[in-house]
C-alpha cells in the first residue's frame, strides 16, 4: 500500500537485511507485519520488539524526534510509552534512519476492548494533563517541534476550505459538509488560546491508544510530538463514544471556546484525511468519516 510520493518500499526481506547488518543477534527472530500507518510501516520482531520504518524522507524527522525526547518524557508519564532500543542507520537499500522499540502488549481502543468508556475518557484526560504539565526542558516551538496542530486555526483556513470543497464532491451525499464548514468557521472566529505552550502528542486517536484489561494502558506513536497550544490535542475525542468525550471534557474542565476550537481542529483533520487519502487508504478515510459523523451528531444534539 503506497500512500505518498517518493515512498520507499519496505518488505520482510528488507527488514531482515537491515537487522542482519546492524543487529545480527536479532536477524533470526520471527518477523511479522504489525500494521502500517500514514507515516510508518511496522514489523513485530520476536515476542518483545517492534521495528518501525518511516515511509518517506519527510517522516524520517519524526523518528529522530522520538529518539531524542521519548526517553526524557517517559519518566513523567504514568502510562507506558514506546521505548527505543536500537537506532537504525541508513543503508543503500533503505536510505533513512529507522528504529526498534520494545513491544507493548495491548489492543487498540474500541468497543471490543474498552469496558467503561467514561473511565477511559477520564484516563485519557489524565495522560493529557500529565503530558501538558511536563516542563519543556529547553524545547521550543521551532524546527521539528513546530507542527501546524500546535498553532492557530487561521493559517489553516485556505487548505481546510479546499479540503471541505473536496469532501463536498466526494462525500457530500452522506455528510453535511455545509454544517462542517460552519463548525470550522465557528472555531476560526474565536480568539486563539491564551494558554502557555506545552508538550503535545498530536494524534491521540484510538489506534494510538492501547488497552489492557479494559483500561487505557499505553500511548504510542509520538511522531507528531510538538510544542504548542493545546486546542488540537483535544480534537481526537470525537473518535470516541460520547460518554468518553463528556468525561474527558469534564476531567480537563475545558470551557466552551476551547471546546469549539478543538471541534474545529477535528473538522480540519477529518476533511483533510478524506481529501488526501480517499484513493489510497480506505480504512483511514473510514475513520475520518466516522469522526465527522460524530461531530455532526453532537452539533445536532446541542442545537
Amino acid at each position: 500500500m503506497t500512500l505518498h510520493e517518493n515512498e520507499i518500499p519496505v518488505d520482510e526481506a528488507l527488514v531482515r537485511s537491515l537487522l542482519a547488518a546492524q543487529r545480527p543477534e536479532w536477524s533470526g527472530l520471527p518477523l511479522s507485519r504489525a500494521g502500517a500507518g500514514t507515516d510508518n510501516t511496522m514489523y513485530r520482531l520476536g515476542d518483545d520488539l517492534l521495528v518501525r520504518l518511516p515511509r518517506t524522507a519527510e517522516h524520517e524527522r519524526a523518528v529522530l524526534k522520538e529518539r531524542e525526547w521519548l526517553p526524557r518524557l517517559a519518566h513523567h508519564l504514568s502510562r507506558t510509552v514506546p521505548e527505543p532500543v536500537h537506532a537504525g542507520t541508513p543503508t543503500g537499500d533503505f536510505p533513512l534512519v529507522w528504529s526498534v522499540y520494545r513491544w507493548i502488549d495491548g489492543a487498540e481502543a474500541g468497543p471490543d476492548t474498552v469496558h467503561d468508556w467514561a473511565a477511559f475518557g477520564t484516563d485519557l484526560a489524565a495522560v493529557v494533563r500529565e503530558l501538558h504539565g511536563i516542563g519543556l526542558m529547553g524545547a521550543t516551538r521551532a524546527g521539528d517541534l513546530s507542527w501546524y496542530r500546535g498553532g492557530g486555526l487561521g493559517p489553516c483556513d485556505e487548505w481546510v476550505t479546499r479540503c471541505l470543497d473536496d469532501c463536498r464532491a466526494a462525500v457530500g451525499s452522506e455528510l453535511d459538509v455545509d454544517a462542517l464548514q460552519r463548525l470550522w468557521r465557528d472555531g476560526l472566529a474565536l480568539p486563539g488560546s491564551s494558554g502557555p505552550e506545552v508538550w503535545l502528542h498530536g494524534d491521540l486517536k484510538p489506534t494510538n491508544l492501547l488497552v489492557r484489561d479494559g483500561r487505557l494502558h499505553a500511548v504510542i506513536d509520538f511522531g507528531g510530538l510538538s510544542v504548542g497550544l493545546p486546542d488540537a490535542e483535544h480534537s481526537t475525542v470525537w473518535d470516541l463514544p460520547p460518554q468518553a468525550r463528556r468525561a474527558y471534557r469534564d476531567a480537563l474542565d475545558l470551557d466552551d471556546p476551547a471546546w469549539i476550537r478543538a471541534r474545529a481542529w477535528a473538522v480540519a483533520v477529518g476533511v483533510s484525511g478524506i481529501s488526501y487519502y480517499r484513493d489510497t487508504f480506505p480504512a483511514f478515510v473510514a475513520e475520518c468519516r466516522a469522526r465527522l459523523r460524530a461531530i455532526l451528531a453532537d452539533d445536532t444534539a446541542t442545537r
Side-chain angles (χ1 to χ4, degrees), residues 23-92:
R23 295 302 297 255
E25 71 274 26
W26 294 340
S27 62
L29 293 174
L31 188 68
S32 60
R33 192 73 174 259
T38 56
D39 298 349
N40 300 276
T41 301
M42 282 79 68
Y43 283 82
R44 186 170 186 176
L45 178 62
D47 292 331
D48 302 319
L49 300 170
L50 176 76
V51 184
R52 195 155 173 258
L53 306 101
R55 288 182 176 272
T56 71
E58 179 182 352
H59 298 127
E60 178 184 45
R61 297 196 297 271
V63 175
L64 296 169
K65 183 169 53 178
E66 286 188 331
R67 285 183 193 171
E68 179 179 2
W69 290 107
L70 269 176
R72 302 170 71 177
L73 296 173
H75 298 298
H76 302 278
L77 298 170
S78 57
R79 292 310 196 277
T80 300
V81 298
E83 178 189 352
V85 295
H86 174 69
T89 56
T91 69

Side-chain angles (χ1 to χ4, degrees), residues 65 68-69 139-147 199 225-228:
K65 183 169 53 178
E68 179 179 2
W69 290 107
T140 61
R141 183 170 168 77
D144 291 339
L145 292 177
S146 177
W147 197 30
W199 284 112
L225 184 71
S226 61
V227 171

Side-chain angles (χ1 to χ4, degrees), residues 120-191:
F120 187 87
T122 301
D123 288 347
L124 180 59
V127 171
V128 169
R129 187 184 300 108
E130 287 178 344
L131 179 61
H132 291 188
I134 299 172
L136 295 183
M137 297 179 277
T140 61
R141 183 170 168 77
D144 291 339
L145 292 177
S146 177
W147 197 30
Y148 78 97
R149 293 188 195 177
L153 294 165
C156 304
D157 188 35
E158 181 177 351
W159 63 259
V160 171
T161 299
R162 186 170 61 249
C163 291
L164 282 161
D165 289 340
D166 287 346
C167 285
R168 194 172 278 108
V171 295
S173 62
E174 62 178 279
L175 293 174
D176 187 346
V177 179
D178 289 342
L180 292 170
Q181 185 154 21
R182 172 177 55 79
L183 296 175
W184 164 251
R185 298 207 173 280
D186 286 348
L188 199 63
L190 291 174

Side-chain angles (χ1 to χ4, degrees), residues 109 114 116-125 206 209 234 236-252 259 298:
V114 176
D116 182 336
W117 280 111
F120 187 87
T122 301
D123 288 347
L124 180 59
L209 306 173
H234 313 308
T236 52
V237 294
W238 277 273
D239 294 342
L240 302 174
Q243 55 269 46
R245 194 154 55 247
R246 288 192 295 269
Y248 177 94
R249 182 179 182 181
D250 290 346
L252 290 177
W259 197 244
D298 268 9

Side-chain angles (χ1 to χ4, degrees), residues 239-275:
D239 294 342
L240 302 174
Q243 55 269 46
R245 194 154 55 247
R246 288 192 295 269
Y248 177 94
R249 182 179 182 181
D250 290 346
L252 290 177
D253 195 23
L254 297 174
D255 61 19
D256 286 346
W259 197 244
I260 291 168
R261 290 191 297 265
R263 184 181 62 190
W265 278 114
V267 171
V269 177
V271 297
S272 65
I274 292 173
S275 177

